[in-house]
Amino acid sequence: MAPNPLRVTMFAQKKGIALDIHNLGIDDTRGADYRAINPIGQVPTLELDDGTHITESLTICQYLDAVSGPPYLCGDGLEERTRIAMWERRAELQLLIPAVEYGHHSHPIFAARLTQYPDWAASIADAPKAFLALMAARLSDQPFLAGPEFSIADITAYYGCRFSTVYGLYPAPAPAIVAWLERVDAA
Ligand SMILES: N[C@@H](CCC(=O)N[C@@H](CS)C(=O)NCC(=O)O)C(=O)O
């Protein structure tokens, strides 16, 4: 259900990589057992066959991309990698994080889990819509966020868009965004 594990799950699916997925409950990440694996207490974590743990969703995706074959969703070659990294970072900072943080600081489901600051939520409420407007303009003359190829930038933006909708920040998606969501689903 959480956006960062969903990013990794979609990335693996699109690459055709089978992961053995263990879903954790919302309180499991706070336990000592999980903290021994990821001291930050967040999901996702990738466990390799040799017991190595890799955390941070983007890092996990970059690892999966590097150890699997093409198409390389983090890019192939300097120009493509740089362009995709730029748009992925923009999508994370301008869209996914504001949408998720808005939810954390406004939705009742998180009230018992963290100290909510509604003013903070209100101050970032317009960011996702602004980035999605920029995206809609870009997507009117190219198929995917970073350019002609489907990439990790689309996956990050996809969940930013979905969670913006869930939290009521983007109730009426632009036609170019609706068409792009369908392209991402089909990629
Ligand atoms: N930078 C981390 C962020 C991970 C993150 O925020 N995970 C959330 C779920 S989407 C989480 O574990 N929240 C539980 C908590 O913070 O206690 C990543 O991309 O892997």
Side-chain angles (χ1 to χ4, degrees):
M1 294 293 288
N4 288 299
L6 285 170
R7 281 206 281 168
V8 171
T9 304
M10 182 191 275
F11 189 93
Q13 281 171 347
K14 300 292 190 188
K15 292 280 300 192
I17 299 169
L19 297 177
D20 180 13
I21 294 176
H22 298 250
N23 287 305
L24 299 184
I26 198 157
D27 290 321
D28 296 337
T29 54
R30 298 213 161 157
D33 288 354
Y34 188 71
R35 294 267 170 172
I37 291 170
N38 180 358
I40 295 174
Q42 291 184 327
V43 286
T45 294
L46 179 70
E47 183 177 83
L48 305 185
D49 289 343
D50 69 2
T52 303
H53 292 115
I54 303 175
T55 67
E56 300 306 319
S57 23
L58 181 58
T59 310
I60 294 170
C61 292
Q62 288 167 335
Y63 174 84
L64 293 175
D65 217 25
V67 297
S68 61
Y72 292 105
L73 301 185
C74 297
D76 194 10
L78 183 60
E79 183 279 326
E80 200 178 294
R81 274 204 311 274
T82 306
R83 176 166 43 78
I84 290 171
M86 179 179 74
W87 281 103
E88 196 285 334
R89 182 117 176 104
R90 286 172 168 170
E92 182 160 3
L93 292 173
Q94 308 292 327
L95 175 57
L96 181 66
I97 291 176
V100 169
E101 285 300 298
Y102 178 85
H104 284 166
H105 289 275
S106 64
H107 198 285
I109 199 171
F110 296 108
R113 192 166 174 80
L114 47 83
T115 305
Q116 292 184 308
Y117 295 99
D119 288 353
W120 160 242
S123 75
I124 56 175
D126 291 337
K129 198 169 164 184
F131 190 77
L132 284 158
L134 185 155
M135 274 183 63
R138 264 182 90 68
L139 292 166
S140 61
D141 59 12
Q142 66 181 44
F144 295 107
L145 178 56
E149 63 290 278
F150 171 70
S151 76
I152 179 75
D154 295 289
I155 296 176
T156 298
Y158 181 94
Y159 286 109
C161 181
R162 292 293 191 204
F163 277 80
S164 296
T165 303
V166 164
Y167 292 131
L169 299 174
Y170 193 56
I177 296 292
V178 174
W180 164 77
L181 289 168
E182 288 170 1
R183 282 197 295 279
V184 172
D185 284 331

